[in-house]
Protein backbone atom coordinates (compact mmCIF):
# COMPACT_ATOMS: atom_id res chain seq x y z
CA UNK A 1 0.00 0.00 0.00
CA UNK A 2 1.01 3.49 -0.73
CA UNK A 3 0.90 6.09 1.94
CA UNK A 4 -1.15 9.28 1.40
CA UNK A 5 0.96 12.42 1.36
CA UNK A 6 -0.26 15.64 2.86
CA UNK A 7 -1.89 17.95 0.29
CA UNK A 8 -0.28 21.29 -0.46
CA UNK A 9 -2.16 24.25 -2.04
CA UNK A 10 -5.77 24.38 -3.26
CA UNK A 11 -7.48 21.74 -5.35
CA UNK A 12 -9.43 22.38 -8.56
CA UNK A 13 -12.78 21.54 -6.92
CA UNK A 14 -12.28 24.18 -4.23
CA UNK A 15 -11.42 26.81 -6.86
CA UNK A 16 -14.55 26.00 -8.87
CA UNK A 17 -16.76 26.17 -5.76
CA UNK A 18 -15.24 29.54 -4.82
CA UNK A 19 -15.83 30.90 -8.36
CA UNK A 20 -19.45 29.72 -8.36
CA UNK A 21 -20.06 31.45 -5.02
CA UNK A 22 -18.37 34.64 -6.24
CA UNK A 23 -20.40 34.59 -9.48
CA UNK A 24 -23.63 34.21 -7.49
CA UNK A 25 -22.73 37.18 -5.30
CA UNK A 26 -21.84 39.34 -8.32
CA UNK A 27 -25.12 38.46 -10.08
CA UNK A 28 -27.09 39.31 -6.95
CA UNK A 29 -25.30 42.63 -6.63
CA UNK A 30 -25.96 43.38 -10.32
CA UNK A 31 -29.67 42.68 -9.92
CA UNK A 32 -29.77 44.98 -6.91
CA UNK A 33 -28.02 47.74 -8.90
CA UNK A 34 -30.55 47.42 -11.76
CA UNK A 35 -33.39 47.72 -9.28
CA UNK A 36 -31.81 50.83 -7.75
CA UNK A 37 -31.35 52.41 -11.19
CA UNK A 38 -35.00 51.75 -12.07
CA UNK A 39 -36.15 53.34 -8.79
CA UNK A 40 -33.93 56.37 -9.44
CA UNK A 41 -35.33 56.79 -12.96
CA UNK A 42 -38.91 56.59 -11.65
CA UNK A 43 -38.09 59.18 -8.98
CA UNK A 44 -36.59 61.49 -11.59
CA UNK A 45 -39.68 61.23 -13.81
CA UNK A 46 -41.97 61.93 -10.84
CA UNK A 47 -39.90 65.00 -9.95
CA UNK A 48 -40.11 66.24 -13.56
CA UNK A 49 -43.86 65.58 -13.60
CA UNK A 50 -44.39 67.53 -10.38
CA UNK A 51 -42.40 70.43 -11.82
CA UNK A 52 -44.54 70.49 -14.99
CA UNK A 53 -47.81 70.16 -13.09
CA UNK A 54 -46.76 72.88 -10.65
CA UNK A 55 -45.97 75.28 -13.50
CA UNK A 56 -49.37 74.66 -15.10
CA UNK A 57 -51.22 74.94 -11.76
CA UNK A 58 -49.48 78.18 -10.84
CA UNK A 59 -50.23 79.59 -14.27
CA UNK A 60 -53.91 78.71 -13.75
CA UNK A 61 -53.93 80.41 -10.34
CA UNK A 62 -52.62 83.65 -11.82
CA UNK A 63 -55.73 83.77 -14.04
CA UNK A 64 -58.33 82.14 -11.75
CA UNK A 65 -61.30 82.79 -14.05
CA UNK A 66 -59.57 81.00 -16.91
CA UNK A 67 -59.33 77.44 -15.55
CA UNK A 68 -61.96 76.19 -18.03
CA UNK A 69 -59.99 77.80 -20.88
CA UNK A 70 -56.78 76.14 -19.66
CA UNK A 71 -58.57 72.78 -19.53
CA UNK A 72 -59.99 73.25 -23.03
CA UNK A 73 -56.62 74.28 -24.50
CA UNK A 74 -54.66 71.42 -22.90
CA UNK A 75 -57.35 68.86 -23.76
CA UNK A 76 -57.46 70.00 -27.39
CA UNK A 77 -53.79 69.12 -27.83
CA UNK A 78 -54.10 65.78 -26.04
CA UNK A 79 -57.34 64.77 -27.80
CA UNK A 80 -55.88 65.38 -31.28
CA UNK A 81 -53.46 62.52 -30.68
CA UNK A 82 -55.61 60.16 -28.61
CA UNK A 83 -56.47 56.71 -29.90
CA UNK A 84 -58.65 54.63 -27.59
CA UNK A 85 -57.10 51.45 -26.19
CA UNK A 86 -53.83 51.90 -28.10
CA UNK A 87 -50.32 52.47 -26.85
CA UNK A 88 -49.54 56.10 -26.20
CA UNK A 89 -46.60 57.63 -28.01
CA UNK A 90 -45.13 60.79 -26.49
CA UNK A 91 -43.48 61.82 -29.78
CA UNK A 92 -46.89 62.15 -31.49
CA UNK A 93 -48.14 64.28 -28.62
CA UNK A 94 -45.05 66.51 -28.76
CA UNK A 95 -45.51 66.99 -32.52
CA UNK A 96 -48.99 68.37 -31.76
CA UNK A 97 -47.50 70.58 -29.02
CA UNK A 98 -44.95 71.99 -31.50
CA UNK A 99 -47.77 72.81 -33.95
CA UNK A 100 -49.75 74.46 -31.15
CA UNK A 101 -46.69 76.44 -29.98
CA UNK A 102 -46.06 77.75 -33.52
CA UNK A 103 -49.60 79.17 -33.63
CA UNK A 104 -49.53 80.62 -30.09
CA UNK A 105 -48.94 84.35 -29.66
CA UNK A 106 -45.72 85.60 -28.12
CA UNK A 107 -46.99 87.46 -25.07
CA UNK A 108 -43.51 88.22 -23.76
CA UNK A 109 -43.01 90.97 -26.33
CA UNK A 110 -46.57 92.18 -27.04
CA UNK A 111 -49.72 92.91 -25.06
CA UNK A 112 -52.17 90.03 -25.15
CA UNK A 113 -55.74 89.35 -24.14
CA UNK A 114 -56.46 86.85 -21.36
CA UNK A 115 -57.24 84.11 -23.91
CA UNK A 116 -53.97 84.82 -25.72
CA UNK A 117 -52.02 84.72 -22.45
CA UNK A 118 -53.57 81.34 -21.66
CA UNK A 119 -52.61 80.03 -25.09
CA UNK A 120 -49.06 81.36 -24.70
CA UNK A 121 -48.71 79.88 -21.19
CA UNK A 122 -50.10 76.49 -22.25
CA UNK A 123 -47.75 76.37 -25.25
CA UNK A 124 -44.70 77.25 -23.14
CA UNK A 125 -45.50 74.79 -20.33
CA UNK A 126 -46.40 71.90 -22.65
CA UNK A 127 -43.27 72.46 -24.71
CA UNK A 128 -41.21 72.28 -21.52
CA UNK A 129 -42.96 69.07 -20.42
CA UNK A 130 -42.37 67.50 -23.86
CA UNK A 131 -38.65 68.10 -23.45
CA UNK A 132 -38.96 65.99 -20.28
CA UNK A 133 -40.95 63.32 -22.20
CA UNK A 134 -44.10 64.01 -20.17
CA UNK A 135 -47.62 64.50 -21.52
CA UNK A 136 -50.06 66.72 -19.59
CA UNK A 137 -53.83 66.73 -19.48
CA UNK A 138 -56.48 68.43 -17.33
CA UNK A 139 -59.75 66.77 -16.35
CA UNK A 140 -62.42 67.49 -13.78
CA UNK A 141 -61.54 65.46 -10.69
CA UNK A 142 -63.93 62.58 -10.00
CA UNK A 143 -66.55 63.40 -7.40
CA UNK A 144 -66.17 67.17 -7.80
CA UNK A 145 -68.64 69.14 -9.84
CA UNK A 146 -70.58 72.35 -9.69
CA UNK A 147 -69.46 74.77 -7.02
CA UNK A 148 -66.80 72.39 -5.66
CA UNK A 149 -65.33 71.52 -9.07
CA UNK A 150 -61.60 70.86 -9.01
CA UNK A 151 -59.22 70.35 -11.89
CA UNK A 152 -56.98 67.29 -11.88
CA UNK A 153 -53.74 68.02 -13.72
CA UNK A 154 -52.39 64.68 -14.94
CA UNK A 155 -48.84 63.96 -16.08
CA UNK A 156 -48.14 60.70 -17.89
CA UNK A 157 -44.92 59.21 -19.26
CA UNK A 158 -43.74 56.01 -20.89
CA UNK A 159 -46.88 54.33 -22.30
CA UNK A 160 -49.34 55.80 -19.78
CA UNK A 161 -52.01 58.17 -21.09
CA UNK A 162 -52.70 61.22 -18.93
CA UNK A 163 -56.40 60.35 -18.53
CA UNK A 164 -58.80 59.23 -15.82
CA UNK A 165 -61.00 56.59 -17.44
CA UNK A 166 -61.24 52.87 -18.01
CA UNK A 167 -59.11 52.75 -21.17
CA UNK A 168 -56.30 50.21 -21.34
CA UNK A 169 -53.31 52.59 -20.96
CA UNK A 170 -55.02 55.24 -18.80
CA UNK A 171 -53.39 56.60 -15.62
CA UNK A 172 -56.39 55.81 -13.41
CA UNK A 173 -59.79 54.22 -13.67
CA UNK A 174 -62.92 56.37 -13.94
CA UNK A 175 -63.18 56.73 -10.15
CA UNK A 176 -59.62 58.11 -9.88
CA UNK A 177 -57.77 55.07 -8.46
CA UNK A 178 -54.30 54.58 -9.95
CA UNK A 179 -53.97 51.56 -12.22
CA UNK A 180 -51.20 49.07 -11.37
CA UNK A 181 -48.09 49.68 -13.44
CA UNK A 182 -49.15 53.14 -14.61
CA UNK A 183 -46.44 55.79 -14.93
CA UNK A 184 -48.23 59.00 -14.02
CA UNK A 185 -48.86 61.62 -11.37
CA UNK A 186 -52.01 63.62 -10.55
CA UNK A 187 -52.34 66.90 -8.68
CA UNK A 188 -55.52 68.80 -7.88
CA UNK A 189 -55.69 72.44 -8.90
CA UNK A 190 -58.47 74.83 -7.93
Amino acid sequence: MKSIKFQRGIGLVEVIVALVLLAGAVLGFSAMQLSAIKATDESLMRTRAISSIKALSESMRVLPDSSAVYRQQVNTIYTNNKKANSGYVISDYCTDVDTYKAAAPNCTTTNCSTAQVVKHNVATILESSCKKEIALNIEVCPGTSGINERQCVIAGWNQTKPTMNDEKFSCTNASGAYKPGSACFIMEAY
Side-chain angles (χ1 to χ4, degrees):
M1 278 203 182
K2 294 184 180 181
S3 63
I4 300 176
K5 295 184 179 179
F6 292 104
Q7 177 183 354
R8 289 188 198 178
I10 300 173
L12 185 59
V13 174
E14 286 118 354
V15 171
I16 291 173
V17 169
L19 286 175
V20 167
L21 290 174
L22 181 63
V26 169
L27 286 175
F29 181 72
S30 298
M32 192 171 55
Q33 282 295 101
L34 289 175
S35 177
I37 290 170
K38 184 178 178 185
T40 301
D41 288 345
E42 181 69 17
S43 175
L44 177 63
M45 289 306 291
R46 285 186 182 273
T47 301
R48 289 177 175 174
I50 289 170
S51 173
S52 295
I53 289 173
K54 183 179 174 186
L56 187 57
S57 296
E58 287 177 354
S59 181
M60 290 169 60
R61 286 191 187 130
V62 170
L63 301 168
D65 295 333
S66 301
S67 64
V69 178
Y70 272 96
R71 185 173 69 231
Q72 185 270 331
Q73 293 291 319
V74 172
N75 286 345
T76 297
I77 297 168
Y78 172 74
T79 305
N80 286 344
N81 161 306
K82 182 180 175 185
K83 296 176 184 107
N85 291 322
S86 65
Y88 190 70
V89 181
I90 190 76
S91 60
D92 294 341
Y93 171 81
C94 290
T95 300
D96 291 344
V97 168
D98 289 341
T99 303
Y100 181 85
K101 172 85 173 159
N106 184 354
C107 295
T108 56
T109 58
T110 60
N111 291 333
C112 293
S113 67
T114 302
Q116 290 173 320
V117 169
V118 168
K119 192 166 187 168
H120 169 77
N121 291 347
V122 166
T124 303
I125 293 165
L126 295 185
E127 179 186 42
S128 173
S129 72
C130 272
K131 289 178 182 175
K132 301 170 189 171
E133 297 184 354
I134 294 171
L136 295 178
N137 194 16
I138 302 174
E139 295 186 7
V140 175
C141 295
T144 67
S145 61
I147 198 163
N148 292 324
E149 181 175 279
R150 292 204 168 103
Q151 312 298 318
C152 278
V153 183
I154 310 161
W157 57 93
N158 295 343
Q159 294 296 313
T160 303
K161 295 179 181 181
T163 56
M164 301 174 79
N165 57 41
D166 292 322
E167 288 182 5
K168 184 176 181 182
F169 295 99
S170 183
C171 177
T172 70
N173 60 24
S175 64
Y178 282 98
K179 290 185 176 178
S182 62
C184 59
F185 194 84
I186 300 172
M187 184 182 292
E188 282 187 12
Y190 47 96

